[in-house]
Amino acid sequence: MCGIVGAIAQRDVVEILLEGLKRLEYRGYDSAGVAVVNSDNSEFKRVRRVGKVKALADAIHEEPCLGSTGIAHTRWATHGEPTEANAHPHISKDRITIVHNGIIENHNVLRDRLSQKGYVFTSATDTEVIAHLLESELDKASDMLSAFQATIAQLEGAYGTVAMDNQNPDHLYAARSGSPLVIGYGIGENFLASDQLALLPVTRRFSFLEEGDIAVLSRSDVVIYDQAGTEVEREISESDVVHDAGDKGPFKHYMLKEIYEQPIAIKNTLEGRIKSGVVVEDIFGPGSSEILKGIEHVQIIACGTSFHSGMVAKYWFEEHADVSCNVEIASEFRYRKSKVHPNSLLVTISQSGETADTLAALRLAKEIGYQSSLSICNVPGSSLVRESDMAYLMKAGVEIGVASTKAFTVQLVGLLLLVVAVGRHKSLSKEAERDIVSALSALPAKIEQVLDMSKAITLLAEDFADKHHSLFLGRGDQYPIAMEGALKLKEISYIHAEAYAAGELKHGPLALIDADMPVIVVAPNNELLEKLHSNVEEVRARGGLMYVFADTGANFKSDSTMKVLAVPHCEKAIAPILYSVPLQLLSYYVALIKGTDVDQPRNLAKSVTVE
Ligand code: F6R
């Protein structure tokens, strides 16, 4: 999704802006642009290109431009096609330059009004209205700050925006309303971005703008005003985020690297959180154990892959902790009336911590009476973490591939720890807790064994590359894993994939079965195995071709209609985590054969900051 970088310094900032954009590439975008102005205002230049940041960098290197103040942007099209004319930055009357993330909902009204005043629009974007509106406010206001404040007051929607006055390049103006912005502090230079990752080469000192904040950056200073226009301090913290995006190591894609990082990511997330066979107290934040003691119901909210981890957690909460649990897609939850159960815990799950729907759902949940909220999140300092009462920081390491892999399995580990932390005050025995903790400790080694299946999965992928549809089946806590497997396949290989709870086949989807519709089955050795065997026979009887990832003891045998890949035996509690790994590998190798853009699949974005 869109990315913003801004810099004001005593040196040329073009390379800083380009590097920042490169670091935001993983979020998904379709065009990019930079605008810079010299501190003596002798030169203003804007360069925009459709496609990758590399195309923009090549254009700049061919015709170099210099500037000590500048803003840059990667655009993920919402209003208007991905063309150069629609790419940011947008300019008004050669004076005001704007970049913007999010959506201005009242852009049509503003566009009409500004057109009547004589402003000529050169793009189909909602962003351009901000540039012209600010330019028009400058006529009335005493200074740029008042004009910027007056402009922001007229915008409706969720956005983050940065403005540069080409005639006064000693300041940058930024506003946050629903879309994140972080300020980076240097010495004699300051920066801003939509994600701290963009600024790590130039600073480690950050503060996060809060909702409604406006910031004015100069080379020596950053002044922040809150929604009411009062000058405020926002805490500056030292970031320990590690960004290793520049290095794929021996891997062809970040996605594969991240799949292989799962054993270490799981070790990291468990570090200090389990000890002597039990889950350590207060791992969800100071005082969290006391809060979790009183929990009688859990409401989980998330989107996409994170929603699937929530679905697994529902099975776990009700089985191990004897606590009722609902899971809902954030974009549904936020637009309906829902009932708050007494003593509920609201859990949001998000890799990025900035997903607009999840954030809005959290805010709504607080409004309607949820007393305790917990975020399971991979990005420290993200909006979800800051706005939740408690947090589990996943420590999965930065995830660059748009298709989430290690974040998913690490979310599941965090959720299983939460189930134990809640369940130990309910029906979960000490012995059961020890079993789960011991299974989690063994998980990294089990995943290593699954990664060794890579060669066999590569061969299997060849059967898929010419297919247009596929079906994923699982039962119980493997049903969400089938859903996640289907999502991964469609995201990166563009093959249509649907997931069903295997028992549901006969209620409709069986009609789809033929030799052109591969059926992928996840089959650990659990109490549902016999039922699953029957479902497999239903498919076989209708001429379906199956690919079964099965526990070594699950008694499936390869034949002309079924290829079986043996998955090492594991404890029941961790099976959903383990079985997601071969499905990730399958999608990856299918996409590789199809030659798709694995790390940045078409139309998708990593951090979905618009609704
Ligand atoms: C799919 C994927 C998405 C995200 C979803 C929510 O591979 O990554 O479905 O899970 O956009 O994002 P987060 O977890 O950042 O809230």
Side-chain angles (χ1 to χ4, degrees):
M1 202 131 286
C2 301
I4 289 177
V5 191
I8 179 160
Q10 287 158 3
R11 52 177 166 154
D12 176 42
V13 296
V14 172
E15 289 304 324
I16 296 172
L17 297 175
L18 286 174
E19 176 61 24
L21 292 187
K22 267 179 73 188
R23 286 163 175 260
L24 297 180
E25 280 194 300
Y26 75 98
R27 297 159 65 100
Y29 67 102
D30 43 56
S31 54
V34 165
V36 283
V37 59
N38 266 343
S39 58
D40 62 2
N41 193 23
S42 58
E43 192 189 0
F44 166 76
K45 190 153 182 194
R46 171 179 68 169
V47 185
R48 299 177 293 173
R49 285 294 179 272
V50 173
K52 300 288 182 198
V53 172
K54 178 155 185 338
L56 178 71
D58 288 348
I60 289 175
H61 293 146
E62 258 170 44
E63 217 179 299
C65 60
L66 294 174
S68 53
T69 304
I71 52 181
H73 192 261
T74 45
R75 173 173 186 258
W76 187 80
T78 56
H79 294 67
E81 291 178 349
T83 59
E84 195 166 308
N86 287 335
H88 302 204
H90 288 282
I91 300 178
S92 181
K93 297 199 174 169
D94 285 336
R95 174 158 187 197
I96 295 298
T97 308
I98 290 282
V99 289
H100 155 238
N101 285 359
I103 291 174
I104 305 302
E105 285 170 359
N106 58 338
H107 70 103
N108 274 332
V109 180
L110 294 171
R111 181 180 272 259
D112 289 349
R113 202 193 302 157
L114 289 158
S115 298
Q116 278 163 23
K117 283 190 182 168
Y119 286 93
V120 178
F121 282 80
T122 57
S123 79
T125 65
D126 51 343
T127 307
E128 199 181 348
V129 299
I130 312 177
H132 295 315
L133 188 59
L134 179 52
E135 209 285 334
S136 76
E137 288 298 329
L138 265 179
D139 286 346
K140 302 180 228 158
S142 54
D143 56 25
M144 174 73 176
L145 175 60
S146 327
F148 189 65
Q149 284 168 323
T151 302
I152 294 303
Q154 295 171 63
L155 304 179
E156 289 169 17
Y159 55 85
T161 188
V162 184
M164 183 166 76
D165 177 356
N166 305 348
Q167 289 178 12
N168 173 13
D170 293 331
H171 295 96
L172 287 175
Y173 300 82
R176 176 197 166 132
S177 177
S179 196
L181 280 178
V182 57
I183 308 285
Y185 298 81
I187 298 168
E189 54 188 18
N190 288 307
F191 310 93
L192 51 83
S194 49
D195 184 330
Q196 55 179 307
L197 287 182
L199 302 178
L200 289 179
V202 284
T203 185
R204 295 227 149 234
R205 294 175 64 234
F206 296 108
S207 71
F208 298 91
L209 293 189
E210 310 237 325
E211 282 304 287
D213 280 359
I214 284 181
V216 184
L217 282 74
S218 64
R219 288 175 182 81
S220 56
D221 209 8
V222 176
V223 184
I224 302 175
Y225 302 90
D226 68 9
Q227 203 142 24
T230 311
E231 196 175 320
V232 283
E233 297 286 326
R234 297 287 176 228
E235 191 193 336
I236 301 175
S237 54
E238 196 82 21
S239 170
D240 56 4
V241 168
V242 180
H243 182 62
D244 49 7
D247 183 13
K248 284 184 213 157
F251 299 98
K252 192 165 181 190
H253 293 99
Y254 284 112
M255 182 182 177
L256 190 62
K257 174 174 180 256
E258 287 155 7
I259 291 174
Y260 273 79
E261 279 172 352
Q262 289 177 110
I264 183 71
I266 289 172
K267 276 186 200 153
N268 288 344
T269 204
L270 287 173
E271 168 102 40
R273 284 164 168 161
I274 53 174
K275 204 172 170 194
S276 313
V278 296
V279 174
V280 173
E281 294 286 334
D282 282 347
I283 60 168
F284 299 96
S288 56
S289 292
E290 199 51 38
I291 298 172
L292 297 182
K293 230 182 225 175
I295 293 306
E296 284 165 11
H297 177 75
V298 177
Q299 172 68 55
I300 297 178
I301 297 170
C303 304
T305 288
S306 300
F307 169 73
H308 294 153
S309 68
M311 281 190 68
V312 174
K314 176 181 166 67
Y315 285 89
W316 284 340
F317 269 113
E318 302 199 348
E319 175 167 350
H320 302 296
D322 200 20
V323 167
S324 61
C325 176
N326 285 340
V327 192
E328 192 158 349
I329 292 168
S331 55
E332 288 297 311
F333 182 89
R334 67 179 287 195
Y335 288 119
R336 74 178 187 89
K337 191 161 177 265
S338 62
K339 191 169 150 44
V340 185
H341 296 265
N343 302 319
S344 283
L345 171 69
L346 184 95
V347 179
T348 55
I349 310 170
S350 173
Q351 188 284 128
S352 63
E354 300 294 351
T355 302
D357 284 320
T358 312
L359 199 50
L362 169 66
R363 290 177 185 153
L364 173 74
K366 285 177 168 180
E367 260 170 52
I368 63 176
Y370 282 91
Q371 301 287 324
S372 313
S373 58
L374 163 69
S375 176
I376 297 195
C377 187
N378 201 29
V379 181
S382 60
S383 302
L384 273 178
V385 169
R386 284 181 294 118
E387 294 189 28
S388 300
D389 304 321
M390 297 174 277
Y392 178 91
L393 294 178
M394 287 156 51
K395 301 185 188 162
V398 175
E399 191 178 66
I400 302 290
V402 162
S404 190
T405 51
K406 64 176 178 174
F408 177 67
T409 47
V410 172
Q411 281 169 354
L412 286 171
V413 171
L415 285 161
L416 193 48
L417 295 177
L418 180 63
V419 168
V420 171
V422 172
R424 61 159 65 128
H425 303 292
K426 307 280 184 283
S427 61
L428 190 79
S429 66
K430 281 230 149 25
E431 198 190 349
E433 173 168 348
R434 282 184 192 284
D435 286 348
I436 292 176
V437 168
S438 132
L440 280 172
S441 310
L443 182 58
K446 293 270 176 202
I447 292 183
E448 296 284 4
Q449 286 175 265
V450 172
L451 293 173
D452 288 342
M453 295 165 64
S454 206
K455 182 96 188 60
I457 295 175
T458 317
L459 297 177
L460 197 148
E462 282 167 15
D463 287 10
F464 277 74
D466 62 339
K467 298 288 187 291
H468 298 291
H469 307 278
S470 60
L471 211 55
F472 284 68
L473 301 180
R475 290 193 81 122
D477 57 18
Q478 293 289 338
Y479 168 42
I481 298 308
M483 294 172 78
E484 175 58 12
L487 179 63
K488 286 290 90 91
L489 188 70
K490 58 190 148 194
E491 266 184 296
I492 61 166
S493 75
Y494 315 148
I495 293 175
H496 172 220
E498 281 197 62
Y500 273 92
E504 189 64 10
L505 264 190
K506 53 192 168 296
H507 300 292
L510 263 185
L512 292 171
I513 300 295
D514 63 21
D516 289 326
M517 177 89 158
V519 179
I520 299 96
V521 185
V522 271
N525 192 355
N526 61 21
E527 70 287 353
L528 293 168
L529 185 60
E530 282 318 307
K531 303 278 173 207
L532 194 64
H533 269 290
S534 309
N535 301 136
V536 163
E537 290 313 315
E538 289 164 7
V539 175
R540 194 200 298 276
R542 280 143 188 102
L545 287 180
M546 279 167 294
Y547 300 88
V548 186
F549 292 95
D551 185 283
T552 36
N555 202 20
F556 283 99
K557 294 210 168 34
S558 291
D559 58 26
S560 59
T561 58
M562 182 156 76
K563 284 190 184 165
V564 180
L565 273 86
V567 179
H569 177 72
C570 69
E571 295 304 316
K572 181 174 186 296
I574 59 163
I577 312 177
L578 193 67
Y579 277 75
S580 44
V581 180
L583 300 189
Q584 295 167 350
L585 286 170
L586 177 65
S587 321
Y588 175 76
Y589 287 117
V590 173
L592 204 61
I593 295 169
K594 293 200 72 180
T596 55
D597 188 347
V598 172
D599 284 332
Q600 286 167 30
R602 68 185 184 201
N603 305 339
L604 298 182
K606 182 73 184 160
S607 183
V608 186
T609 48
V610 295
E611 73 163 300

